[in-house]
Amino acid sequence: MASKQMTQMLHMNQGQGETSYARNSSIQTAEQKRMKPLIEAVIAELCSSTSTLVPGKMVIVDMGCSTGPNALTLVSIAVKAVQDHCFQVQQPPPEVCLLLNDLPNNDFNTVVKSLVMLRQSNEHVVVTGITPGSFYERLYTSGSLHLVCSSNSLHWLSKAPEDLFKNHIPAYDMDKDARRQRHRIVLEAYAKQFRKDFTNFLKLRAKELVSKGRMVVSLVGRRSDVTATKFSYLSRTISQILSVMVSEGVIDKETFDSFYVPVYEPSSKEVREIIKEEGSFSIREMQVHDPTTDMNNALSTPSKFVNLLRALCEPILVQHFGDVMYEFVSTAERHWSMEGNLLGPYAMLAISLAKA
């Protein structure tokens, strides 16, 4: 699969149906709630800085907003924080511009309607907008943003690791011995791609943020004391299901070997190192959450497990393998019955950053 195609198709399942992202994002909702105190603290700091907000305007962006009820959560938290802080200190709130970003194929229909309603219900929100495009590219003018938020997005890579698809190395080899021998190569390729992408993300946002601008982001990762001895949970789970489909003749091995889930779960240590090496931001706070309870609640039955997989990955699965979702669903349900919930990540990382 061409890397450009992967970028174009990398979006959550659209619509409002049973397998849509809008109906299968409770885990993401829990993480957004954990980001609330970080966003509130940042807003208080921004509103207290006259140099940052002159002449009384604030531009807030959510990058990778996706669709459904979570799409407006972070910007809504920020708007409420602006109102509360300005009321407490008895100062007029700034004019607020809210912008949402995701890839062009994202389902923006319901998002736009909700965004308009948010603006109409808040007199201080004077501009709202949608910016389609990859956050691994420039999206906004220099020095125009005050706060960038991103939740559950930055573990998605811009494309599959170049070293793997250029050298025709499968991400998950069906032969156990070959998989064990290539294990380190695969992990290093994914880590290298994440480092490249996350570094690029930081550089671009540093250009777009005002002086002393802020970012609050969260992503799926792992604690630094957990060694990366296995693939991404999502990649491994999808690959295990697909490998059964290969053995049953539903999909061919060559097509399977050329499929890469563009996801990497970095350790908190890796993230700290990349931020420090890139140099545009200082870390104000980094939190590491254990999402086990959220995962267990969200994936407690075969149907919930399968619906989440479809919400996250159906577009790229269909693009690469064709119409195989009926077989994928039945295989995934068997996988859950035999293995239980194996999708849970090691940790969720939430980070508050200040432009240096």
Side-chain angles (χ1 to χ4, degrees):
M1 180 185 297
S3 58
K4 184 177 180 181
Q5 288 179 312
M6 181 69 83
T7 300
Q8 291 173 337
M9 287 299 295
L10 188 54
H11 61 84
M12 305 298 103
N13 241 5
Q14 301 182 352
Q16 299 289 317
E18 185 179 350
T19 61
S20 67
Y21 179 82
R23 296 274 295 274
N24 295 278
S25 51
S26 62
I27 300 169
Q28 292 86 340
T29 301
E31 182 57 24
Q32 287 179 323
K33 290 179 179 178
R34 291 193 185 99
M35 294 172 69
K36 185 173 182 283
L38 296 179
I39 294 174
E40 290 172 339
V42 166
I43 289 295
E45 188 173 327
L46 287 173
C47 288
S48 301
S49 174
T50 54
S51 61
T52 304
L53 286 185
V54 170
K57 299 174 184 176
M58 184 182 292
V59 181
I60 301 169
V61 180
D62 182 350
M63 296 191 175
C65 67
S66 196
T67 189
N70 292 345
L72 267 66
T73 298
L74 298 184
V75 293
S76 297
I77 290 171
V79 169
K80 180 69 162 53
V82 169
Q83 293 173 333
D84 291 347
H85 175 80
C86 292
F87 178 77
Q88 289 174 2
V89 300
Q90 296 184 326
Q91 71 181 48
E95 294 181 336
V96 177
C97 170
L98 299 180
L99 302 172
L100 299 180
N101 152 261
D102 213 314
L103 292 168
N105 282 327
N106 183 57
D107 184 359
F108 285 116
N109 291 333
T110 55
V111 175
V112 170
K113 295 175 183 177
S114 300
L115 198 54
V116 171
M117 290 176 62
L118 177 61
R119 185 187 68 207
Q120 292 174 341
S121 65
N122 191 306
E123 61 179 314
H124 302 294
V125 178
V126 295
V127 176
T128 57
I130 300 290
T131 310
S134 170
F135 51 48
Y136 295 124
E137 301 170 352
R138 273 294 296 271
L139 295 170
Y140 302 101
T141 55
S142 300
S144 62
L145 309 179
H146 295 88
L147 171 60
V148 171
C149 299
S150 181
S151 174
N152 295 280
S153 296
L154 286 166
H155 49 274
W156 289 98
L157 305 175
S158 65
K159 56 186 176 182
E162 293 182 18
D163 293 349
L164 298 185
F165 65 77
K166 281 183 178 179
N167 296 306
H168 306 289
I169 299 174
Y172 186 91
D173 202 301
M174 290 186 65
D175 181 83
K176 289 184 179 180
D177 290 335
R179 187 164 71 242
R180 186 162 48 249
Q181 291 172 5
R182 290 173 167 171
H183 181 70
R184 182 164 296 279
I185 295 174
V186 172
L187 282 177
E188 289 177 352
Y190 269 91
K192 179 181 177 182
Q193 186 65 48
F194 174 79
R195 179 174 290 271
K196 179 179 179 181
D197 284 341
F198 190 48
T199 298
N200 187 38
F201 177 85
L202 295 171
K203 287 182 183 295
L204 296 173
R205 303 296 82 81
K207 291 179 181 178
E208 295 167 346
L209 281 161
V210 300
S211 174
K212 300 180 183 178
R214 300 296 300 271
M215 285 207 298
V216 179
V217 302
S218 73
L219 66 158
V220 180
R222 53 190 165 82
R223 300 189 311 272
S224 291
D225 60 341
V226 176
T227 306
T229 56
K230 296 181 179 179
F231 305 122
S232 152
Y233 271 105
L234 180 62
S235 298
R236 187 184 65 182
T237 302
I238 294 290
S239 296
Q240 287 173 341
I241 294 167
L242 292 172
S243 65
V244 173
M245 294 169 66
V246 173
S247 66
E248 295 176 348
V250 178
I251 56 179
D252 66 81
K253 186 176 182 300
E254 183 179 355
T255 307
F256 171 69
D257 286 344
S258 63
F259 179 70
Y260 306 92
V261 182
V263 168
Y264 179 70
E265 296 159 359
S267 70
S268 53
K269 181 180 179 182
E270 282 177 281
V271 171
R272 284 183 183 276
E273 288 177 350
I274 295 169
I275 293 169
K276 183 177 180 181
E277 288 174 9
E278 194 280 325
S280 297
F281 294 90
S282 61
I283 299 174
R284 292 295 182 86
E285 186 172 355
M286 180 182 288
Q287 300 176 355
V288 182
H289 305 298
D290 180 357
T292 302
T293 301
D294 300 327
M295 298 297 295
N296 289 342
N297 291 338
L299 304 174
S300 57
T301 66
S303 61
K304 289 182 177 181
F305 171 74
V306 171
N307 285 345
L308 178 63
L309 290 183
R310 293 186 67 176
L312 294 174
C313 296
E314 183 167 349
I316 59 174
L317 288 171
V318 171
Q319 182 196 24
H320 193 81
F321 296 103
D323 186 13
V324 297
M325 292 313 298
Y326 176 81
E327 294 86 353
F328 180 85
V329 167
S330 61
T331 308
E333 288 177 342
R334 279 186 281 141
H335 176 83
W336 186 95
S337 298
M338 291 186 294
E339 304 289 343
N341 170 25
L342 296 178
L343 195 60
Y346 293 116
M348 294 296 300
L349 312 180
I351 315 155
S352 177
L353 298 164
K355 184 177 173 180

